[in-house]
Amino acid sequence: MMLSLPLVFIKYMEYISYVRRPYDGTTEELSLNKQLAYRVDVFLSFHPYAKPLTLLVATLLLICLGGLALFGVTDDSIADCLWLSWTYVADSGNHANSEGIGPRLVSVSVSFGGMLIFAMMLGLVSDAISEKFDSLRKGRSEVVEQNHTLILGWSDKLGSLLNQLAIANESLGGGTVVVMAERDKEEMELDIAKMEFDFRGTSVICRSGSPLILADLKKVSVSKARAIVVLAEDGNADQSDARALRTVLSLTGVKEGLRGHLVVELSDLDNEVLVKLVGGDLVETVVAHDVIGRLMIQCARQPGLAQIWEDILGFENCEFYIKKWPQLHGLQFEEVLISFPDAIPCGIKVASSGGKIILNPDDFYVLQEGDEVLVIAEDDDSYAPAALPMVQRGNLPKNLIIPKTTERILFCGWRRDMEDMILVLDAFLAHGSELWMFNEVSEKEREKKLTDGGLDISRLANIVLVNREGNAVIRRHLESLPLESFDSILILADESVEDSAIQADSRSLATLLLIRDIQAKRLPYREAMVSIHGGSSSQGSWREEMQQASDKSVIISEILDPRTKNLLSMSKISDYVLSNELVSMALAMVAEDRQINDVLEELFAEEGNEMQIRGADLYLCEGEELSFYEVLLRARQRREILIGYRHANAEKAVINPPGKTERRRWSVKDVFVVIAEKE
């Protein structure tokens, strides 16, 4: 009877509520069960400890009711009955010792209730453990880190970016990189585990979340990160940049503030102003599309420059570093140039000008207190100034001013920033040069797109636009072009397929092979080769013809997928540009030191300084024995900074060579890599 009292009480209250409820024909009748169920549901939903609290109350209620019931059917005291009731609840087997009908009924009832309580407790514990493991598995737990690099977003550039950050952190014994994206944590960890490179002691932590939600940003310790990289999403450029803008807005709203700087990857140059307006001094932007476009133009004009940029942008070889050296104060820049045996100074960060970085300064600039030296070195701890060596200053064999010659360049495909590339070419090329544009966009639509992009064709000073319409993967369309007459050909990732890296690269690769094959068949030596070999054809001769065609003109292919790199490297028929890797390298470099972004922007811009490849005959005579420092000082007579060289029989250039005071024999067929003012 005691155990059934709560049920009787509830039914009685329901009956009283039903009898006393006024009925007006419009009010919906709510039973006490519904009201009670609703209250219980609200209580369990809004209170985090509602379930264990409910279990505790039910246990105490069962013990009390069982104790009272035992007190009524036995001669024991109330305390003994409550203790006996607890033993029945805790261990259902204790009721076997009960004697008499009354005590047995009560003990069985209490034991049955104890089994239900125990089952509920197991369920709660199991649910709590499952929720905790599920939270850990899905990346919902908070990251307790500081001075880490935070990457927001996921794209195909992530692998190259993680690789560069791991190399950069190797000298520190490794670092911590946190990746947060709107993906499942297990999927992210599985994809990262498939990346074929050594993390070199760097830990990569993945978390699921949205950068637009402040709670998720707090979860990855955004306020304690030393650098935050916002990756552009794959797909539509405007949508990707709009999301990047919202992410920057969300980051600027963090109450605790941000310790590090933001590195935002954008897809369209026109959106850069908005992001900088919102982010202010915290933001450094890297416009991937614009960087690759300018780099393609530089590499087309100077074959081999792609390899130089890969070496300098990546952390595997030599890169830019900025550091103070008080012992150099009072020295002229010409003396600073030969002060570092293991580095090459390139510029000065002038303290009196608000920290402005001057590339290739005047020889007579004197380092002041607070100035910092920009160098190219293998690592930030691999170089230091030494005593000034004795270097002979020679004279240039001839003071040549390299004249600009007219060029004929072909663009295969259409990019959305075509107007920007045309303006850059117009600034670089000599008057009378031609730019042929071959794509599937009609001439009328081209003019409209260029005009909408802000290009006034009538104001082009140096180049003449030649429009041709056709499909770059159809051989007969390509054969209508004078492919053998172009100085350089740029195969662009067409706007129509740029959302799919594999499709864009397949199209670019097909165009490249078709162009090289057409060029090879049009070369004058073709008839001689056929007569010598009796008209036979083989895979070897085909490859030789393709490589011979490569020597006649330069083809730059815009590659989006890193896997395509191996195909082009094996064929050796294209001075390729690997878009995603180069952009990832730039993002990693700016994430490590935001000051480097100013250096990269000047090297990519139409004005200022750029990297150039020069013939050795500008600095020395055939067979002359000179040290690297002696050639460097000769280059200073042309207001250039020598940073490396490539021998005539070598495949790769050497940047920041060792043994700078050791003499070696040079050939006029060698080439030098310099930083010089744009012509």
Side-chain angles (χ1 to χ4, degrees):
M1 290 179 63
M2 293 296 295
L3 293 175
S4 62
L5 280 178
L7 181 60
V8 174
F9 177 75
I10 291 174
K11 289 297 182 180
Y12 177 74
M13 292 299 297
E14 181 180 358
Y15 173 75
I16 296 298
S17 175
Y18 175 77
V19 172
R20 295 184 178 181
R21 183 188 303 119
Y23 179 75
D24 55 5
T26 59
T27 305
E28 183 182 357
E29 296 184 9
L30 293 177
S31 64
L32 182 62
N33 285 343
K34 290 185 178 180
Q35 295 183 28
L36 187 60
Y38 172 72
R39 298 299 177 187
V40 171
D41 182 60
V42 170
F43 176 74
L44 295 177
S45 300
F46 284 92
H47 296 80
Y49 299 105
K51 292 181 180 179
L53 185 61
T54 303
L55 182 62
L56 177 61
V57 171
T59 304
L60 293 176
L61 182 61
L62 179 61
I63 292 173
C64 293
L65 292 177
L68 293 175
L70 288 172
F71 182 73
V73 296
T74 63
D75 297 331
D76 297 335
S77 64
I78 186 66
D80 292 339
C81 291
L82 289 174
W83 175 255
L84 191 60
S85 176
W86 156 247
T87 60
Y88 292 157
V89 172
D91 185 1
S92 58
N94 285 336
H95 72 279
N97 297 326
S98 300
E99 296 179 357
I101 297 178
R104 287 180 177 178
L105 288 176
V106 174
S107 61
V108 169
S109 301
V110 175
S111 297
F112 182 74
M115 287 188 289
L116 293 178
I117 294 292
F118 185 71
M120 292 170 61
M121 183 181 67
L122 285 179
L124 287 178
V125 173
S126 176
D127 289 344
I129 295 175
S130 298
E131 287 179 5
K132 187 61 179 178
F133 275 103
D134 189 58
S135 176
L136 294 174
R137 182 179 61 83
K138 293 185 177 180
R140 295 172 182 168
S141 60
E142 185 174 352
V143 174
V144 186
E145 293 285 351
Q146 57 182 354
N147 292 327
H148 57 286
T149 302
L150 174 60
I151 301 175
L152 301 177
W154 187 281
S155 71
D156 51 9
K157 302 179 185 66
L158 182 66
S160 301
L161 178 58
L162 289 176
N163 187 25
Q164 294 301 318
L165 291 175
I167 298 172
N169 292 327
E170 184 179 11
S171 61
L172 303 175
T176 302
V177 179
V178 180
V179 181
M180 187 176 77
E182 296 183 60
R183 298 185 62 198
D184 185 73
K185 175 176 176 286
E186 289 183 323
E187 292 181 2
M188 290 190 286
E189 291 175 341
L190 184 61
D191 290 342
I192 292 175
K194 293 178 181 178
M195 297 177 182
E196 298 178 353
F197 59 83
D198 184 8
F199 285 97
R200 306 168 192 260
T202 294
S203 302
V204 180
I205 302 171
C206 297
R207 288 293 181 268
S208 297
S210 172
L212 306 179
I213 301 175
L214 291 176
D216 289 344
L217 291 175
K218 184 178 180 181
K219 180 174 63 178
V220 291
S221 299
V222 65
S223 60
K224 298 178 182 178
R226 64 184 178 92
I228 304 168
V229 182
V230 181
L231 291 180
E233 292 183 341
D234 298 329
N236 184 271
D238 291 331
Q239 292 180 3
S240 174
D241 289 352
R243 184 173 180 82
L245 179 62
R246 293 196 300 271
T247 301
V248 173
L249 276 171
S250 180
L251 289 168
T252 55
V254 176
K255 292 181 180 180
E256 296 83 0
L258 299 177
R259 178 187 301 179
H261 61 283
L262 305 179
V263 183
V264 183
E265 180 198 356
L266 297 175
S267 302
D268 198 324
L269 186 63
D270 296 334
N271 300 321
E272 183 180 24
V273 178
L274 291 174
V275 173
K276 287 188 174 181
L277 182 65
V278 171
D281 296 335
L282 284 173
V283 172
E284 297 291 340
T285 57
V286 176
V287 186
H289 218 58
D290 183 63
V291 167
I292 295 303
R294 292 172 184 271
L295 192 56
M296 289 182 69
I297 292 174
Q298 288 189 16
C299 296
R301 295 175 58 244
Q302 302 184 74
L305 203 57
Q307 178 251 316
I308 307 297
W309 272 114
E310 282 192 0
D311 288 347
I312 290 182
L313 284 178
F315 285 97
E316 292 181 346
N317 299 296
C318 293
E319 52 274 348
F320 291 107
Y321 293 101
I322 301 178
K323 194 181 293 186
K324 284 183 182 179
W325 299 100
Q327 59 267 46
L328 298 180
H329 292 164
L331 295 183
Q332 294 183 349
F333 182 71
E334 185 181 44
E335 297 173 312
V336 175
L337 278 172
I338 57 176
S339 297
F340 293 91
D342 301 309
I344 298 179
C346 304
I348 302 295
K349 182 181 178 183
V350 184
S352 59
S353 299
K356 180 181 179 182
I357 298 176
I358 300 178
L359 274 175
N360 191 15
D362 188 81
D363 280 343
F364 303 105
Y365 176 84
V366 179
L367 255 70
Q368 306 296 325
E369 185 177 356
D371 288 352
E372 301 180 42
V373 182
L374 170 71
V375 304
I376 294 178
E378 187 174 356
D379 208 341
D380 58 351
D381 58 355
S382 65
Y383 70 100
L388 290 176
M390 296 296 295
V391 181
Q392 296 182 2
R393 179 190 294 275
N395 295 318
L396 294 172
K398 47 188 176 180
N399 189 13
L400 286 180
I401 299 176
I402 304 175
K404 282 187 176 183
T405 58
T406 59
E407 298 180 43
R408 177 181 283 187
I409 296 179
L410 172 65
F411 280 0
C412 284
W414 183 271
R415 286 171 122 240
R416 61 175 175 276
D417 62 345
M418 186 69 80
E419 62 277 356
D420 296 324
M421 296 185 69
I422 293 174
L423 287 173
V424 173
L425 271 178
D426 189 57
F428 282 151
L429 299 182
H431 180 72
S433 299
E434 293 182 359
L435 173 60
W436 289 53
M437 294 191 296
F438 179 72
N439 49 68
E440 297 181 74
V441 182
S442 64
E443 185 175 350
K444 186 176 180 181
E445 189 177 352
R446 290 182 204 178
E447 293 182 0
K448 182 178 182 303
K449 287 186 175 183
L450 294 176
T451 304
D452 293 342
L455 177 65
D456 188 352
I457 299 178
S458 62
R459 292 191 176 183
L460 295 176
N462 296 322
I463 61 175
V464 177
L465 297 182
V466 180
N467 290 294
R468 291 290 185 271
E469 186 176 347
N471 192 331
V473 295
I474 298 179
R475 186 183 184 92
R476 67 175 184 275
H477 290 180
L478 289 171
E479 287 177 338
S480 65
L481 300 173
L483 296 176
E484 69 281 0
S485 67
F486 293 109
D487 297 289
S488 51
I489 300 174
L490 277 69
I491 302 176
L492 310 176
D494 200 272
E495 184 180 30
S496 60
V497 293
E498 68 175 356
D499 292 347
S500 172
I502 296 178
Q503 187 176 356
D505 288 351
S506 299
R507 185 182 179 91
S508 298
L509 187 58
T511 303
L512 169 65
L513 295 174
L514 286 173
I515 290 176
R516 281 307 188 201
D517 188 51
I518 294 172
Q519 286 180 330
K521 286 179 170 54
R522 293 180 181 179
L523 287 176
Y525 80 97
R526 172 70 175 175
E527 296 179 1
M529 291 290 293
V530 172
S531 62
I532 292 174
H533 294 287
S536 63
S537 176
S538 65
Q539 182 180 0
S541 62
W542 175 82
R543 180 171 294 179
E544 290 175 0
E545 292 174 6
M546 300 284 273
Q547 293 179 3
Q548 181 72 16
S550 175
D551 296 334
K552 299 298 181 182
S553 63
V554 179
I555 293 186
I556 303 295
S557 305
E558 182 179 8
I559 302 303
L560 302 181
D561 192 333
R563 289 171 292 185
T564 315
K565 174 183 178 180
N566 297 330
L567 297 176
L568 294 180
S569 298
M570 290 174 61
S571 63
K572 297 182 181 180
I573 54 175
S574 175
D575 190 1
Y576 65 90
V577 173
L578 192 56
S579 299
N580 289 345
E581 280 196 349
L582 290 174
V583 173
S584 299
M585 291 175 181
L587 289 170
M589 185 167 287
V590 178
E592 290 296 310
D593 189 351
R594 64 180 305 181
Q595 303 172 101
I596 303 302
N597 201 26
D598 296 332
V599 179
L600 298 180
E601 286 180 353
E602 179 173 345
L603 292 175
F604 288 139
E606 300 97 295
E607 300 178 353
N609 292 272
E610 68 174 348
M611 278 195 290
Q612 299 179 7
I613 297 178
R614 301 289 200 199
D617 58 341
L618 293 175
Y619 312 97
L620 47 84
C621 299
E622 178 67 34
E624 193 171 1
E625 291 188 4
L626 297 170
S627 70
F628 183 83
Y629 273 154
E630 289 174 335
V631 182
L632 185 148
L633 291 183
R634 289 189 182 187
R636 289 307 295 166
Q637 299 176 36
R638 296 176 51 85
R639 189 63 188 277
E640 299 171 349
I641 296 179
L642 181 64
I643 65 172
Y645 62 86
R646 190 185 73 184
H647 288 304
N649 56 352
E651 293 186 358
K652 295 188 66 176
V654 179
I655 305 299
N656 182 30
K660 296 180 176 62
T661 57
E662 299 175 3
R663 292 200 163 198
R664 65 197 76 188
R665 188 179 300 275
W666 301 93
S667 169
V668 293
K669 295 181 180 180
D670 298 335
V671 294
F672 291 105
V673 183
V674 300
I675 294 178
E677 291 185 359
K678 295 180 174 68
E679 302 170 355

